[in-house]
Structure formats: structure tokens, C-alpha cells
Amino acid sequence: MRIRSDVWQLTRDHGDWPQVLVAYRSAVRAMRELDPPGGGPPVEPRSWRYQAALHGRNRPDGLPDTQNGWSACQHGSWFFLAWHRMYLLAFEMLVQRFLDDDEWSLPYWYAIDPDDPAKAVLPPAFRDATTTNTLFTGERSPEMNAGQPLEGLDFLGPALVASLADDTYTTDDGTGSFGGGRRDRPAYSGGEQGSLEDAPHGSVHVLVGGVITDDAGTPLRRGWMGQFDTAALDPVFWLHHANIDRLWQVWLEADATRTNPVEEMAWRDTRFSFPAFDGGTVSWTIAEVVDTEALGYRYDSVKPPSALRSAGRGGLESLQPGRAQARRPPEVVGAATGVAMASDATTTIGLSARPARGLESLDEPRRVLLRLEGITGSVCAPVYNVYLNLPENAVPADFPDRLAGTISTFGVAESSVRGREQEGTGVTKVLDITDLQGRLAAAGAWDAQAVSVRFEAVGPEAPAVLGDPGRRPPSRTADLRAARVVVVRA
Ligand SMILES: [Cu+2]
């Protein structure tokens, strides 16, 4: 059984260059040497840029290039975790062959470890700017390359714990889930993201990607990790995703009642293929990858964060109140359409006035959700915090108890472009506000007639590079918006 290990633990035990990273560096070099010199589309399936193109590659017009099986990554649905598990496994098999070492295993980077915030710094091997170091890239947040920790740990840690407290792998009624919304067929973008895919996964992408500026400091584009079509070019992508893959296992093992949706054919029987080292392909159905030990690997630790462990079984319910109740059909109690999400934008949502349905008259435990539907935009900050009922002119940071949740913008620009194979209708995110609504009501800060929603940008706003920037100059104004923001009782 191979072990995938914590890259920071290896670094602390063995110095900046543990053996697994020395080997990884030389495998990346070998794969990069198979790329066509001087750019142009990759042709050799084992090459570095070809492997990244499997995740995403844009044509000059900004739409995903789907030839050769490229642009196949799955986001915004229950296929997210399974597709990325296979992608990593096929990549790991290639690296093993390049190294002639079938024991080599991807390490993982636990960037948001609520019990060890020091791990939020990029491991030193990835920051070493020596020209021969293939693990370094300048197409990355300059702050993170300088050794600063990931921004926003204060709220990303709790977002991760809340995600791991969610008992449901998938739903199809828009009420949110750990693993993502149900979908009949695979799709590149759009749809309802699972809670793990959103803040814990997407925020690391966009914050590590950062913003690349010109000499005058004008934002030009996001770094590689911030976009589908470039994310896997950064060697740290694979370690970040190994951690997301591990967190799937953490979630499963945290409670014996949890299950993957293996009863559902559209999930279980869906098959994805990847290039094999000797030509041809390697492929799996999702049913074939649900058990990592059957695939030959496990993680050195699947211990949940202490905040989740100390919550215990009863505590899981306090983190996700009402989850254990019988599921009811969700009921929309308020909605606003065309909601601007630029920093400091505030939207007021009128709530159903009928007393029997008002949220204050809740006499039975039900969940209250804030669903942000169809989020689109081309210029936005990496991450947004969403607050409810802030006093006018309040500084959001002064009201951490009114934070409804954190959302990342990874994948938003990709889901906003309309094309032959995609609708361009954006991504959907669901925040559980049951607990917050209860606290606001108890503090006399909940109005049964209306709720106000305020967005706060974290990090600088930057354009996403989609298409030929020479032909279509990117907008400079933040244009993030949600087609609809809904308050739901479920
Ligand atoms: Cu990802």
C-alpha cells in the first residue's frame, strides 16, 4: 500500500527538499521537455502542458478547447471529487514511470489546516526560484511565492469545518451538499458546487494564483492556479488536489453513517479516461475509485480537524442544525434577482410576510439556506465573504458573528462564457444560515420582513483572462453578479 504524505510534515522532518519532491522536480522536468519548444498546442500526451490541458485549455476565443479529450475537468457537480481522483491517479502513474519508481506517491498540501495554520505557507521547495527548479513558477501570487501564508485563514478554517460537518454527499433540490449537486451527465463548468469544492478548494486555487500585475501595478490576469485552463500547469496544483482527495476520505470516515451516492447509476457508472504512459488510455468508472486502498494508496492521516472531533455526533448537528431531520421539500421564502456582488454591495431580500411561513415563527427545526444562483462575471476578487443584516456603514470585520459564509470565485469566469457545449449560466452556491438566523433572532437583529445581504471582497479584484486579450480587452470593473439570491427553508 502506497502512502500519500503531508508535504509540510516531510519538510519539517527532512528539510526543504524531501526525497519525494526531489523526484517530483525531475519528473516535472522530464514532462516539460516533451512540450513543444516555444509554445503551440501540446502534442505528446505525457507532456506537462498536455496533462494540464486535460483539466482545461482555452481556444483563442476564450471557449474551452475540447479536442484530444482536453478541457474535461468536472466542477460544479457531484462529479468533481471523482473526476479529480482519477486525474491525479493517472498523473501519479505517469510520474512513477518517468521515475521508474512504482512506489512514488503524490504528497498533499493541507493549505487550510485549522489546527496548524503554519501549513498555509507554500512549502519552500515550491518557492525556490532557482532556474533549474521546475516546481517554481512566477505565474503565482507574488505574496505566496515570498512565503506569506494564505490570506483569510480566519474564515477559511471554519468554512472547511462546516463543509466536513455536512452529512449529505449530494442533493438535487438545491439545498446544498458536501460533494456537489446531482447532474445526469458530466459537464465542464456551471452547476451547484459542493461545500468542499467552494471555499476550501476554490479559495486555495484563486489565492495561490493571485494577481499578476504590470510594473505599474495594474492587474493583468490571475496566476495559473486561478483558472481552469492553466491551474494544472502549476506543480502545486497536484498537491492541493491530493489534499482535496484526502478530505473526501476524511469526510467519509468522520462518521459511520456517511456514504457516497453509490446507489445512483448516473454517478456510479460514469466513466472517465486519461492517457496512459505507453499510449492508449486508462479509464475507471466512479464505482471503481471510491475505495482508495483498492487503488493501492492511502493517506498518512485522515484525522478530522479538532473542531469537528470535539463537536462529536451531537455537535455535528449543532454545526449543521436540522440536517438530521427528515428532508422536506425546500420552500423559497424570499428572493432578489440580478444581484451585484461587488465589494460592499448590499442587497435587501423581502421575506414572505405570511406569519405561518415567516422565519420567526419557526416552531420545528428546519434548515434555513441562502442560495446564490447563477453567479457570473469576468472581473472579481478571489474570495467574497457574505454577511447578513450588517448595520449601515459597518465594517464587516467588526461583525464576525454575522458572517453567513465564504465563497470563492474559482470557475466563475469559465462558467460565464456561453458556447456550443456550455450555457454560460454561472455557478450556484448554497450557504447554511440556520444557526446565524437563530442567533440574529435571539439578538433581536432579525426582521421577519426582510434580510440584507452584504458582500465583502477578500484580496484584489482582477480580470480573468479568457480569449485573446489583444482582441477583447478585459474589463477593469468588477462585474460579479448573481442571477438570483434566494432564502430557502428546507
Ligand atoms: Cu481544483
Side-chain angles (χ1 to χ4, degrees):
M1 188 68 54
R2 295 184 294 105
I3 309 286
R4 289 186 182 170
S5 301
D6 180 335
V7 71
W8 260 115
Q9 198 55 52
L10 293 172
T11 299
R12 287 167 184 170
D13 292 347
H14 304 285
D16 289 0
W17 282 98
Q19 186 49 41
V20 67
L21 293 185
V22 172
Y24 184 40
R25 178 180 60 184
S26 64
V28 176
R29 186 181 308 126
M31 294 169 84
R32 280 208 163 283
E33 280 167 3
L34 297 177
D35 282 328
V43 288
E44 154 65 70
R46 295 172 295 184
S47 80
W48 187 253
R49 289 203 284 113
Y50 198 109
Q51 285 294 306
L54 297 171
H55 189 272
R57 183 180 159 84
N58 283 353
R59 304 187 314 211
D61 65 4
L63 290 170
D65 187 342
T66 54
Q67 62 172 319
N68 304 321
W70 294 340
S71 304
C73 68
Q74 297 295 309
H75 293 89
S77 84
W78 64 350
F79 293 124
F80 166 71
L81 287 168
W83 185 87
H84 284 84
R85 172 166 290 177
M86 296 181 202
Y87 183 44
L88 258 57
L89 196 59
F91 174 81
E92 196 175 51
M93 289 162 68
L94 289 185
V95 172
Q96 289 172 348
R97 294 291 296 274
F98 276 106
L99 297 171
D100 197 18
D101 174 5
D102 57 15
E103 289 296 302
W104 187 86
S105 301
L106 262 175
Y108 65 88
W109 178 33
Y110 194 2
I112 305 169
D113 181 345
D115 296 310
D116 193 347
K119 289 181 186 164
V121 172
L122 210 54
F126 292 83
R127 290 185 272 125
D128 174 350
T130 315
T131 49
T132 52
N133 181 18
T134 52
L135 304 190
F136 175 82
T137 171
E139 290 292 320
R140 198 189 268 157
S141 154
E143 294 81 14
M144 294 224 55
N145 266 344
Q148 290 179 24
L150 201 72
E151 208 177 334
L153 282 184
D154 291 358
F155 43 81
L156 292 177
L160 172 65
V161 173
S163 165
L164 291 170
D166 193 333
D167 279 334
T168 311
Y169 190 93
T170 190
T171 59
D172 59 3
D173 58 4
T175 55
S177 59
F178 171 78
R182 195 175 285 146
R183 168 180 262 172
D184 293 340
R185 257 167 281 117
Y188 180 64
S189 66
E192 182 189 302
Q193 296 181 336
S195 55
L196 183 68
E197 183 188 344
D198 187 6
H201 156 259
S203 302
V204 174
H205 269 281
V206 281
L207 291 168
V208 170
V211 177
I212 312 296
T213 63
D214 64 15
D215 290 343
T218 308
L220 297 176
R221 59 184 180 274
R222 288 179 166 183
W224 278 346
M225 273 283 273
Q227 300 193 177
F228 289 179
D229 62 317
T230 52
L233 289 170
D234 188 332
V236 87
F237 166 95
W238 304 90
L239 281 77
H240 168 47
H241 262 281
N243 185 52
I244 297 301
D245 188 65
R246 185 185 70 89
L247 289 167
W248 180 8
Q249 198 61 31
V250 170
W251 176 83
L252 259 185
E253 295 188 21
D255 190 288
T257 64
R258 291 176 173 179
T259 50
N260 291 317
V262 285
E263 303 295 318
E264 303 194 43
M265 277 169 51
W267 191 77
R268 183 189 70 200
D269 297 340
T270 293
R271 179 178 289 277
F272 297 107
S273 303
F274 302 85
F277 188 86
D278 296 313
T281 56
V282 54
S283 77
W284 298 271
T285 63
I286 294 178
E288 289 167 339
V289 302
V290 288
D291 178 1
T292 75
E293 301 208 359
L295 295 169
Y297 73 92
R298 60 185 174 83
Y299 289 97
D300 63 355
S301 168
V302 289
K303 201 166 74 170
S306 56
L308 193 82
R309 289 201 307 279
S310 61
R313 186 61 234 163
L316 283 181
E317 271 166 47
S318 76
L319 290 165
Q320 283 280 319
R323 259 298 189 203
Q325 309 299 322
R327 300 191 66 81
R328 298 159 202 266
E331 174 191 5
V332 172
V333 293
T337 54
V339 174
M341 294 174 62
S343 195
D344 282 336
T346 303
T347 295
T348 301
I349 304 176
L351 300 175
S352 169
R354 272 175 292 171
R357 293 159 64 107
L359 293 174
E360 267 180 338
S361 66
L362 235 55
D363 52 358
E364 56 201 47
R366 291 185 75 170
R367 296 165 66 221
V368 188
L369 308 168
L370 187 73
R371 194 165 69 218
L372 302 134
E373 300 175 347
I375 302 172
T376 55
S378 59
V379 184
C380 48
V383 170
Y384 287 79
N385 280 331
V386 185
Y387 291 86
L388 299 188
N389 289 357
L390 282 189
E392 226 175 308
N393 302 322
V395 177
D398 293 342
F399 292 85
D401 57 330
R402 298 201 181 181
L403 179 65
T406 300
I407 59 170
S408 111
T409 55
F410 186 58
V412 166
E414 289 84 347
S415 312
S416 305
V417 186
R418 193 186 197 89
R420 197 157 42 90
E421 283 155 36
Q422 57 184 54
E423 295 174 320
T425 49
V427 299
T428 291
K429 298 165 185 281
V430 183
L431 301 174
D432 193 316
I433 57 166
T434 315
D435 195 37
L436 173 55
Q437 191 269 329
R439 278 187 283 119
L440 288 171
W446 183 263
D447 174 356
Q449 314 292 312
V451 59
S452 80
V453 183
R454 177 151 152 202
F455 300 96
E456 180 203 24
V458 179
E461 280 160 351
V465 177
L466 291 170
D468 180 357
R471 271 194 304 150
R472 201 174 52 171
S475 156
R476 291 273 171 233
T477 323
D479 58 355
L480 192 71
R481 59 199 300 109
R484 204 165 77 121
V485 177
V486 200
V487 179
V488 176
R489 250 195 336 161

